């Protein structure tokens, strides 16, 4: 499919006589998500904001090199730009085009931070309104010291001396889903009760925590079920997403940004409930998926024979 320039989805062939409806449905939803379709709530939530998500996509076969990628959502349109490419593209076109991209060492933070800084500066010069740029906390492991726990300054952006734009129009948000996020309990009437409650919570130091809805994988799980009595069932709490907002906004403004991030976790059309990261950050995984395919990464994508997979759908044009 990569040679025909078509977005595509595959699933394993099923053994049962009846097709697994949920797998087919999710495959189709994944496909149209890659094509740029979003839930209606995304368009409503972000009509006054420019949403940016930055990430590093590991190069196929070589985890020492990465491709800096920036996603931009505004006016109901999602666009993508990769380092080395001159123009913004729709997400559907961008997932299939890796010509002229420039990778860099994952430890060379000054290089890709400079590229990101220049791209944001250009966007802000040509587009009015506020911008919200989201980062994964794992970037701190690649020598971006301003995103480390001991390097974050909530009144400043993480760009340091390289900042070239009007910071009053930009909110930068570090999202952390790793093991150093604290354990939590949600109290009901001031007491702990087993529950699947969700919501957005704020610490006194200005750090926010987002607890999303009960995921599809926990459907049918009762709040009071314990592993000792149901050893064969997956029993887990919703995972906690830590949100740290950097910028010069006041407390009320940062509260509104945190609420936006919390609601954007429901932006993935493939799932009924909250996903790990807010829209459009979760689409960085799709970038890596298609890049591996373009590079012919057989050992990473599994060597699937035609009789072992079923083509669910594709979007694009034959050459």
């Amino acid at each position: 499919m990569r040679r025909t320039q078509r977005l595509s989805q595959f699933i394993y062939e099923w053994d049962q006589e009846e097709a697994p409806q949920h797998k087919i449905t999710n495959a189709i939803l994944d496909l149209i998500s890659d094509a740029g379709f979003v839930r209606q709530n995304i368009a409503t939530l972000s009509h006054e904001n420019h949403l940016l998500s930055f990430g590093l996509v590991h190069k196929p076969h070589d985890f020492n090199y990465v491709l800096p990628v920036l996603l931009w959502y505004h006016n109901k349109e999602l666009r993508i730009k990769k380092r080395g490419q001159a123009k913004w593209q729709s997400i559907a076109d961008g997932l299939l085009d890796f010509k002229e991209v420039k990778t860099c060492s994952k430890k060379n933070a000054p290089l890709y931070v400079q590229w990101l800084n220049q791209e944001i500066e250009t966007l802000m010069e040509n587009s009015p309104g506020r911008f919200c740029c989201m980062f994964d906390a794992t970037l701190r492991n690649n020598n971006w010291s301003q995103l480390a726990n001991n390097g974050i300054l909530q009144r400043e952006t993480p760009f340091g001396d390289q900042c070239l734009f009007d910071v009053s129009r930009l909110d930068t948000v570090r999202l952390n889903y790793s093991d150093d996020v604290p354990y939590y309990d949600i109290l009901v009437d001031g007491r702990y009760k087993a529950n699947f409650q969700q919501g957005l919570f704020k610490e006194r130091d200005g750090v926010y925590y987002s607890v999303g809805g009960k995921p599809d994988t926990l459907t049918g799980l009762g709040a009071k079920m314990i592993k000792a009595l149901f050893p064969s069932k997956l029993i887990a709490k919703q995972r906690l997403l830590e949100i740290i907002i950097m910028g010069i906004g006041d407390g009320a403004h940062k509260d509104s940004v945190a609420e936006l991030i919390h609601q954007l976790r429901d932006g993935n059309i493939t799932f009924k409930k909250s996903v790990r990261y807010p829209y459009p950050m979760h689409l960085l995984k799709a970038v890596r998926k298609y890049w591996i395919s373009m590079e012919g990464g057989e050992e990473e994508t599994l060597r699937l024979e035609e009789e072992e997979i079923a083509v669910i759908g594709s979007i694009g044009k034959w050459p």
Side-chain angles (χ1 to χ4, degrees):
M1 285 296 180
R2 70 174 187 271
R3 296 171 183 170
T4 65
Q5 290 292 290
R6 296 169 71 90
L7 299 174
S8 56
Q9 282 292 327
F10 298 86
I11 66 171
Y12 285 99
E13 187 177 36
W14 47 86
D15 297 327
Q16 298 85 355
E17 293 182 2
E18 295 184 2
Q21 183 177 352
H22 69 283
K23 287 188 176 181
I24 296 176
T25 301
N26 287 347
I28 295 173
L29 291 175
D30 274 337
L31 180 63
I32 62 177
S33 175
D34 292 349
F37 290 82
V38 299
R39 288 186 183 275
Q40 180 61 37
N41 69 315
I42 297 299
T44 303
L45 289 170
S46 61
H47 69 283
E48 295 181 352
N49 296 284
H50 297 262
L51 301 178
L52 302 175
S53 291
F54 173 75
L56 302 177
V57 181
H58 285 97
K59 184 177 181 181
H61 316 301
D62 192 345
F63 275 69
N64 292 317
Y65 286 86
V66 293
L67 175 63
V69 176
L70 184 60
L71 299 171
W72 173 31
Y73 182 80
H74 184 61
N75 284 339
K76 300 182 180 181
E77 184 177 357
L78 178 61
R79 283 159 280 193
I80 183 172
K81 193 169 188 181
K82 300 178 282 291
R83 181 173 178 266
Q85 295 182 330
K87 297 181 179 181
W88 286 93
Q89 298 174 297
S90 68
I91 187 65
D93 291 338
L95 290 177
L96 297 171
D97 181 12
F98 290 87
K99 297 177 181 178
E100 301 179 350
V101 298
K102 292 182 179 179
T103 60
C104 62
S105 168
K106 66 180 181 180
K107 296 296 184 180
N108 194 351
L111 182 63
Y112 57 75
V113 172
Q114 180 184 27
W115 174 79
L116 174 61
N117 189 18
Q118 293 171 344
E119 292 299 330
I120 294 179
E121 179 188 18
T122 302
L123 284 175
M124 295 183 72
E125 285 179 350
N126 295 286
S127 305
R130 293 200 61 85
F131 287 74
C132 178
C133 189
M134 294 172 272
F135 309 91
D136 190 325
T138 56
L139 291 171
R140 63 190 171 180
N141 302 328
N142 297 331
N143 294 337
W144 194 344
S145 58
Q146 288 88 349
L147 291 180
N149 289 344
N150 59 359
I152 286 181
L153 298 174
Q154 294 189 29
R155 298 289 297 174
E156 299 181 9
T157 71
F159 296 100
D161 296 336
Q162 298 189 49
C163 187
L164 301 173
F165 42 78
D166 180 9
V167 296
S168 66
R169 294 172 54 206
L170 176 70
D171 300 298
T172 49
V173 184
R174 194 195 79 167
L175 303 173
N176 189 8
Y177 202 73
S178 58
D179 292 339
D180 62 346
V181 175
Y183 180 84
Y184 77 95
D185 282 320
I186 297 178
L187 302 182
V188 179
D189 298 328
R191 297 183 301 165
Y192 171 73
K193 297 179 182 179
N195 63 77
F196 285 114
Q197 301 273 6
Q198 58 180 301
L200 179 67
F201 304 88
K202 183 180 180 180
E203 286 276 14
R204 294 179 181 176
D205 58 3
V207 177
Y208 300 85
Y209 294 96
S210 170
V211 181
K214 182 178 175 182
D216 296 346
T217 52
L218 298 181
T219 299
L221 182 65
K224 296 183 179 180
M225 295 173 67
I226 60 176
K227 196 69 174 179
L229 299 179
F230 301 91
S232 62
K233 285 190 174 292
L234 173 64
I235 297 178
K237 293 176 135 183
Q238 305 102 297
R239 288 288 297 275
L240 198 64
L241 178 67
E242 180 186 74
I243 304 170
I244 297 180
I245 301 170
M246 296 164 279
I248 63 175
D250 58 21
H253 172 71
K254 290 188 176 182
D255 288 349
S256 67
V257 174
E259 290 172 4
L260 173 65
I261 299 297
H262 177 68
Q263 294 179 70
L264 288 174
R265 293 183 67 192
D266 293 330
N268 189 333
I269 62 177
T270 307
F271 300 97
K272 297 178 181 179
K273 299 296 183 180
S274 308
V275 294
R276 176 181 300 185
Y277 287 117
Y279 183 89
M281 179 173 282
H282 68 275
L283 284 170
L284 290 169
K285 288 185 177 180
V287 178
R288 175 161 172 75
K289 176 181 66 176
Y290 283 94
W291 193 21
I292 291 174
S293 175
M294 295 294 177
E295 294 288 326
E298 289 85 359
E299 63 268 20
E300 293 190 65
T301 56
L302 300 179
R303 298 173 182 172
L304 301 177
E305 300 294 336
E306 290 185 2
E307 63 271 13
E308 293 177 341
I309 56 179
V311 181
I312 292 304
S314 60
I315 297 177
K317 295 182 179 180
W318 296 98

